[in-house]
Amino acid sequence: MGDVKKADRQDWKESANDPIWMHQDGIDMKFFEKQHDLSLWVDRCRGASESVGFVPTMGGLHEGHLSLIRAAKEKCDRVVASIFVNPTQFGPGEDFERYPRELQQDRELLAGAGCDGLFYPTVEEIYPQGHQTRVSVEPLGSQLCGAFRPGHFEGVATVVTVLLNLVRPHRIFLGLKDYQQFILLRQMVGDLGLGVVVEGVSTVREADGLALSSRNRYLDREGRERALGLYRAMEAVSEAWQGGERNPEALEGVGRQVLVASGIDRIDYVAVRDSRTLGPWNLDSTSPQLLIAAFVDGVRLIDNRLLTS
């Protein structure tokens, strides 16, 4: 696909009579439910030598998602987002059924951020009858979150591969809050020669440090306060790092102590890993990445931070 930069040219004209143009509820943004209509629009963009940026989401949008749209707008002529609550990345007992589905609100947010098109497929559009292929990135997909959510990253890798083949973007924009997902998808794109530039966008936080997440809405006031334990743990580990501590196990222990003191219900992991590969970190590696996954009131939260001097 190549690294095509934002073009300096006149846009091709779109008409209200165009079958792939949709002006609904006052929102001037293309809206695609079918692969065919999405493909027609992408063909037009590419035919006009316009670069296409892609932001995949599951909906329940917040400022973190909108920061991805804005980052894509800076580097691409056209930006398309997807909203698809992907069933294959949810395990038994997880929140697939209650995951936020707020299409009208999400469309308004995307349009306000300057998104050009929204792909909103059904499950059957992504996984038609007879679909058998799965994409697995191993061993990366079976560690950290993958160890606690078997099959999760296979579902992520599979749906993103399908979406990339449908959208055919020049760049894909991913939030760094889901750091393991970012590393895994970057690995997948490279391994499969998909020719897409993978862009990581910094985590957006509340004023008190809590990382924005669609699942934060599940928390009540008391739960949200305990959720801040993840941020406090990262602060404490960073302080230990700045103080000269370089033993990964000791740094992880500092983080665990803070999580326990904060009343976190369950800790899946506190891990200090190589920031490039998520393999074991040692002093000869680049600066390490601190990654945390923990539960508050049944809500699984993740966060991470690069430890630098």
Side-chain angles (χ1 to χ4, degrees):
M1 294 180 183
D3 183 5
V4 176
K5 298 182 179 179
K6 192 168 184 177
D8 181 17
R9 62 178 62 84
Q10 294 292 319
D11 291 342
W12 42 266
K13 300 295 184 180
E14 292 168 306
S15 166
N17 296 320
D18 193 315
I20 65 169
W21 166 266
M22 295 190 72
H23 177 95
Q24 295 181 343
D25 305 315
I27 298 174
D28 290 324
M29 180 176 64
K30 275 64 72 181
F31 183 78
F32 315 107
E33 293 180 304
K34 299 296 183 180
Q35 296 181 18
H36 173 73
D37 293 336
L38 171 67
S39 181
L40 286 175
W41 183 73
V42 172
D43 284 344
R44 288 187 174 186
C45 294
R46 287 180 159 272
S49 298
E50 293 178 328
S51 56
V52 178
F54 177 45
V55 178
T57 84
M58 292 204 301
L61 302 186
H62 51 67
E63 182 59 29
H65 298 104
L66 301 184
S67 72
L68 300 178
I69 299 295
R70 288 191 286 269
K73 292 289 289 184
E74 290 180 0
K75 293 191 174 183
C76 301
D77 297 298
R78 299 281 182 166
V79 177
V80 58
S82 64
I83 294 178
F84 180 66
V85 185
N86 177 36
T88 66
Q89 69 188 70
F90 288 82
E94 294 188 341
D95 59 339
F96 174 72
E97 294 298 334
R98 69 166 179 160
Y99 197 87
R101 291 167 171 84
E102 302 167 341
L103 177 58
Q104 180 61 23
Q105 177 177 304
D106 288 346
R107 286 178 62 197
E108 292 171 358
L109 290 171
L110 289 170
C115 188
D116 297 294
L118 170 60
F119 183 42
Y120 185 75
T122 62
V123 172
E124 293 74 22
E125 196 71 14
I126 298 299
Y127 302 117
Q129 185 175 5
H131 186 280
Q132 298 183 36
T133 302
R134 293 291 183 268
V135 179
S136 180
V137 184
E138 295 297 340
L140 185 55
S142 294
Q143 60 179 292
L144 298 171
C145 283
F148 294 90
R149 304 181 68 189
H152 169 70
F153 284 118
E154 181 176 283
V156 171
T158 299
V159 75
V160 172
T161 299
V162 172
L163 289 169
L164 286 175
N165 282 325
L166 295 177
V167 178
R168 291 173 285 142
H170 299 93
R171 297 174 183 264
I172 181 173
F173 293 79
L174 304 170
L176 291 178
K177 184 181 78 71
D178 296 312
Y179 193 76
Q180 184 178 5
Q181 177 175 278
F182 167 74
I183 295 295
L184 180 137
L185 292 177
R186 186 176 66 180
Q187 180 75 38
M188 180 195 78
V189 165
D191 288 349
L192 298 181
L194 298 181
V196 181
V197 178
V198 181
E199 301 270 6
V201 180
S202 298
T203 302
V204 178
R205 301 181 179 277
E206 301 280 4
D208 56 11
L210 183 67
L212 294 185
S213 169
S214 300
R215 291 185 169 97
N216 287 350
R217 67 187 69 194
Y218 299 156
L219 300 170
D220 59 19
R221 181 177 299 180
E222 187 272 338
R224 189 188 180 287
E225 175 60 31
R226 286 190 288 127
L228 282 172
L230 276 74
Y231 183 73
R232 297 189 189 108
M234 293 193 303
E235 290 282 280
V237 174
S238 294
E239 290 178 9
W241 174 269
Q242 296 290 340
E245 181 61 69
R246 294 295 185 269
N247 182 284
E249 289 77 13
L251 292 167
E252 292 165 0
V254 169
R256 284 183 171 275
Q257 288 177 358
V258 174
L259 291 175
V260 171
S262 298
I264 295 294
D265 298 330
R266 186 181 106 197
I267 302 170
D268 272 1
Y269 61 79
V270 178
V272 174
R273 297 293 182 90
D274 185 293
S275 60
R276 300 167 302 178
T277 66
L278 296 186
W281 179 81
N282 57 64
L283 287 172
D284 296 326
S285 302
T286 58
S287 297
Q289 198 81 17
L290 168 68
L291 303 103
I292 298 175
F295 281 83
V296 175
D297 294 339
V299 180
R300 192 175 191 273
L301 303 171
I302 58 174
D303 211 338
N304 68 88
R305 176 181 293 186
L306 182 68
L307 299 177
T308 57
S309 301

